[in-house]
Amino acid sequence: MSPDPLSELRDDPAGRVIVIGSGMGGGSLAWRLAHNGREVLLIEQGGYLKPPPRPGKVGQFIADVHGDRVKPIQYVGGQTKFYGAALYRYRESDFRAVEHENGVSPAWPFGYDTLEPYYEAAEALYKVHGSPAGDPSEPPRAHAYPFPPIEHAPVVERMVGTLERAGVPVAAIPRGIDRRVGGACVLCADCDAHVCTVDAKMDAEIAAVRPALATGRVKLLLHTEVLKVLTDDSGRRATGVLVRRDGEEAVLHADTVVVSAGLPASALLLRRSANTQHPEGVGNHSGALGKYLAGHSTGMVFPLVSVGQVKPAHTKSFAIHAWYEGSPGWAYPTGVIQVAGQMPFWEEASRLMRPVVKVVATHSLTCFYMTEALPTAETGLVFDGDKLAGRVEPVQNLKTFHRLRQLAVKSFAKAGYPSIARRRPPYMWHDVGTARMGDDPATSVVDANLQVHGVEGLYVADASVMPSAGAVNTGLTIAALAMRLGDHLAGAASATDKAPTIVSEQAA
Ligand SMILES: Cc1cc2nc3c(=O)[nH]c(=O)nc-3n(C[C@H](O)[C@H](O)[C@H](O)COP(=O)(O)OP(=O)(O)OC[C@H]3O[C@@H](n4cnc5c(N)ncnc54)[C@H](O)[C@@H]3O)c2cc1C
Ligand code: SF4
């Protein structure tokens, strides 16, 4: 690119698509559009994340590389630079209205079948290693996972064996890491919440943006913040974006603009794009923008697996989904239990608690349990003008959450592992919503094709459009939705009848 990339990008080459944000949504979309022959201008406010090498460390911890946890993650690849690469399909029931302890998880405008081909395409792009074995909630799939599940480390293998012998069904966590024969992944201990310095983690930069750039159809504009999405005078058509780079502002034109800035940035950007036709923000005629925040209530349980310290190992490989749809004596969906990677999270505990947390964590496997937290018209972002003033958290299902904690503790005990699991308020993870998808413009921001209601050429493709969070990790669904939009914009066949155009590489 020239020293002044903005000047050469002001023209509107026919058919160019502007994509704002290069995370899971934007990166996957850019790849799919380029694959379908479309020209893309991908605008990212951050740059590449390239931590300096540290001897003996393949993965580098988020706190060491990025610092403050509340600081937004702004790099090519977005949050996926640090993600655990647990890449799940939503379960079939996640697309339907399902009653929970404290409300209803809403139906999506389409069912699982519509997204199935795009899940397959996303699994191929992100090189997902998995197996349906041991997972009663796994949805039907047209073809097998692209790659077999990753192997368990010995300490995990022992636990999986004892759990299974105790009658607890155990499944592999589907993982987007490059463990193919000749793949760069060395299954190190520092993966979950770490950045991979050998490019073996299939984050959005490595798996999607890099191959998208290689097609020659995608231009990536770094360190450039989109300040506003622009519409024509009628307010019914997108015309481009206003950007700021190196202190200079410029208008870049395109008749298709996709907002993939993640949460809360996408909703905030639409809010800041207010104009005379959209005084409360573009896509906010009904007041739904910023609302319907959903996510996962998450807790931690530590089954003690060793009298000595557990050696460094790649532990993120098994999950328990036996109670996804319900559990004995409890009619409501319960959630999932997942082993996490090893991470020095005790460094974030108070000075007083740090030694205790460290002893517990280094003698156990760290496990998460996640229950769905629900969206309503009251949950979501609180705007003060065009600033973010706060948020109203999703509706938690706390009895269900504590029940899942008990199920985890009992299962590990049945297999011979005592656990430590503090009864504490849940952490909220995996936010979704705030620009949610729906057929009714009165209660949603985008339609089933992810176009903002009433604004031609303006789309949203990231976690913000998801009507509910299910209880499995959300990343693969974000990618699948973005790839479906990529076909829609390219005028490809409809989602339901289109065979995926990526062919899985041969498993090792
Ligand atoms: C430590 C950690 C572990 C995780 N583990 C998992 C996991 O194992 N599995 C899973 O499924 N999910 C996991 N997640 C969550 C997952 O990474 C996110 O849900 C997902 O990346 C969200 O994708 P997105 O496209 O919505 O947004 P993001 O990834 O947040 O990307 C948005 C991008 O837009 C850019 N941007 C924002 N505003 C602007 C603007 N105005 N102009 C230009 N660019 C802009 C940002 O810089 C960013 O790069 C994890 C997250 C973290 C932090
Ligand atoms: S486990 Fe593999 S993908 Fe993860 S950080 Fe280590 S080498 Fe990278």
Side-chain angles (χ1 to χ4, degrees):
M1 249 183 230
S2 74
D4 178 15
L6 290 185
S7 63
E8 71 175 34
L9 293 170
R10 279 173 219 262
D11 295 340
D12 177 14
R16 170 172 81 181
V17 179
I18 286 182
V19 178
I20 305 162
S22 64
M24 198 63 164
S28 307
L29 173 64
W31 184 88
R32 191 70 171 188
L33 284 167
H35 177 79
N36 283 330
R38 295 291 300 263
E39 299 289 319
V40 178
L41 175 59
L42 182 58
I43 307 178
E44 169 55 53
Q45 68 183 1
Y48 284 104
L49 174 61
K50 293 282 170 237
R54 293 173 76 203
K57 282 278 175 200
V58 172
Q60 296 197 25
F61 189 44
I62 184 169
D64 299 332
V65 178
H66 178 68
D68 187 353
R69 252 184 198 267
V70 291
K71 195 172 81 180
I73 296 175
Q74 295 166 347
Y75 306 104
V76 178
Q79 294 177 55
T80 64
K81 290 309 293 178
F82 297 109
Y83 80 159
L87 290 178
Y88 279 92
R89 296 178 177 208
Y90 267 25
R91 320 286 99 170
E92 281 183 295
S93 58
D94 293 327
F95 293 83
R96 299 193 287 263
V98 176
E99 200 172 329
H100 285 248
E101 168 200 337
N102 285 327
V104 174
S105 175
W108 286 42
F110 47 77
Y112 169 80
D113 288 359
T114 298
L115 219 48
E116 201 280 337
Y118 296 101
Y119 275 128
E120 180 166 325
E123 284 172 345
L125 188 62
Y126 286 86
K127 296 187 174 51
V128 178
H129 293 56
S131 160
D135 183 353
S137 68
E138 169 91 2
R141 47 174 56 248
H143 298 100
Y145 277 94
F147 301 101
I150 61 163
E151 57 269 38
H152 297 304
V155 62
V156 180
E157 182 78 59
R158 276 194 296 281
M159 175 174 260
V160 168
T162 46
L163 281 167
E164 284 176 339
R165 282 192 292 281
V168 181
V170 177
I173 297 180
R175 297 291 309 286
I177 57 180
D178 191 2
R179 276 296 283 173
R180 297 170 302 165
V181 168
C185 178
V186 294
L187 272 195
C188 71
D190 305 314
C191 192
D192 202 2
H194 293 70
V195 57
C196 176
T197 57
V198 295
D199 296 347
K201 192 194 281 184
M202 293 297 107
D203 59 46
E205 179 207 339
I206 305 301
V209 175
R210 209 179 269 191
L213 292 171
T215 64
R217 297 195 190 97
V218 177
K219 285 193 175 122
L220 174 60
L221 197 51
L222 298 176
H223 305 294
T224 306
E225 185 187 5
V226 175
L227 303 173
K228 278 182 178 216
V229 170
L230 306 173
T231 69
D232 66 6
D233 290 345
S234 75
R236 296 210 187 100
R237 190 155 230 315
T239 56
V241 294
L242 174 68
V243 300
R244 181 168 53 209
R245 181 191 162 95
D246 292 335
E248 183 199 348
E249 291 189 8
V251 171
L252 305 178
H253 293 286
D255 53 17
T256 307
V257 174
V258 185
V259 182
S260 298
L263 259 104
S266 284
L268 201 53
L269 178 58
L270 291 173
R271 175 85 182 179
R272 287 179 179 155
S273 304
N275 57 34
T276 35
Q277 299 300 328
H278 301 275
E280 296 299 317
V282 176
N284 197 22
H285 279 298
S286 63
L289 185 69
K291 301 296 179 201
Y292 302 102
L293 178 70
H296 294 152
S297 309
T298 309
M300 287 169 118
V301 50
F302 300 92
L304 296 163
V305 292
S306 167
V307 279
Q309 284 200 1
V310 179
K311 293 202 176 73
H314 188 94
T315 51
K316 196 178 176 84
S317 59
F318 86 83
I320 302 172
H321 297 148
W323 306 293
Y324 198 88
E325 315 275 355
S327 52
W330 194 246
Y332 305 115
T334 312
V336 300
I337 300 159
Q338 234 177 55
V339 69
Q342 290 178 330
M343 53 186 107
F345 56 85
W346 54 84
E347 288 173 6
E348 290 173 23
S350 68
R351 191 170 292 198
L352 191 68
M353 288 303 292
R354 208 169 297 163
V356 184
V357 178
K358 185 169 179 184
V359 168
V360 172
T362 52
H363 290 73
S364 61
L365 290 180
T366 302
C367 295
F368 303 133
Y369 54 101
M370 298 192 296
T371 296
E372 181 169 353
L374 305 172
T376 71
E378 281 74 46
T379 67
L381 310 176
V382 180
F383 297 121
D384 175 10
D386 63 2
K387 292 199 174 51
L388 190 59
R391 48 184 258 162
V392 178
E393 295 298 340
V395 175
Q396 311 230 30
N397 294 298
L398 287 180
K399 284 190 187 137
T400 308
F401 176 73
H402 291 304
R403 204 175 174 88
L404 185 60
R405 176 178 144 277
Q406 279 170 350
L407 284 165
V409 170
K410 277 188 191 154
S411 301
F412 294 133
K414 225 164 132 185
Y417 299 97
S419 302
I420 294 172
R422 268 182 65 214
R423 204 185 159 96
R424 64 174 306 287
Y427 306 96
M428 282 306 306
W429 282 0
H430 301 142
D431 286 344
V432 303
T434 69
R436 82 158 170 179
M437 167 174 46
D439 293 327
D440 182 358
T443 56
S444 58
V445 174
V446 298
D447 65 20
N449 285 324
L450 306 188
Q451 181 173 292
V452 172
H453 290 297
V455 187
E456 216 180 308
L458 179 59
Y459 296 81
V460 183
D462 60 22
S464 331
V465 300
M466 292 164 68
S468 61
V472 288
N473 311 55
T474 49
L476 192 75
T477 302
I478 299 170
L481 284 167
M483 291 169 92
R484 178 171 175 264
L485 175 60
D487 281 9
H488 174 71
L489 293 178
S494 78
T496 41
D497 58 16
K498 184 172 172 16
T501 42
I502 308 175
V503 184
S504 305
E505 290 163 73
Q506 281 304 301

